[in-house]
Amino acid sequence: MKLHTNEFWVGTYHGRHDGRPVTVTATRDDTRPEPFAWTCTCGASRSFATEDGVDRTAWRHTHPTLVDQLKQKAARLLRTR
């Protein structure tokens, strides 16, 4: 599946964080200095020089650990003050 002129779909991850459903789309674009990247519907994104780490970080973003969930909750509480 081709997304943009030079960008190719690599994977999609569905999950939740901050109490909301999210979708992360991982892509490869060989015209960028860091061709591997993922973008979340929440607005977060990361890019990588190699394929290593893309799947792991995209999965963890959509399936946060208990520690990640506690950090997110603390951040939400601090934002509301």
Side-chain angles (χ1 to χ4, degrees):
M1 170 186 274
K2 198 167 183 180
L3 298 177
H4 298 289
T5 306
N6 299 312
E7 195 169 276
F8 293 89
W9 170 78
V10 177
T12 304
Y13 305 86
H14 301 276
R16 301 180 70 82
H17 68 82
D18 285 338
R20 294 181 300 249
V22 294
T23 301
V24 169
T25 303
T27 57
R28 186 190 87 220
D29 181 349
D30 292 332
T31 65
R32 296 187 306 215
E34 294 187 311
F36 297 93
W38 59 255
T39 305
C40 184
T41 54
C42 74
S45 65
R46 287 199 52 194
S47 59
F48 302 84
T50 67
E51 195 172 356
D52 298 334
V54 174
D55 290 327
R56 181 178 42 81
T57 59
W59 177 262
R60 186 166 174 183
H61 186 75
T62 55
H63 298 85
T65 64
L66 180 58
V67 172
D68 293 335
Q69 292 174 26
L70 292 172
K71 286 179 183 178
Q72 291 168 0
K73 186 171 185 171
R76 279 195 310 270
L77 290 173
L78 292 174
R79 279 193 304 254
T80 59
R81 290 181 175 198

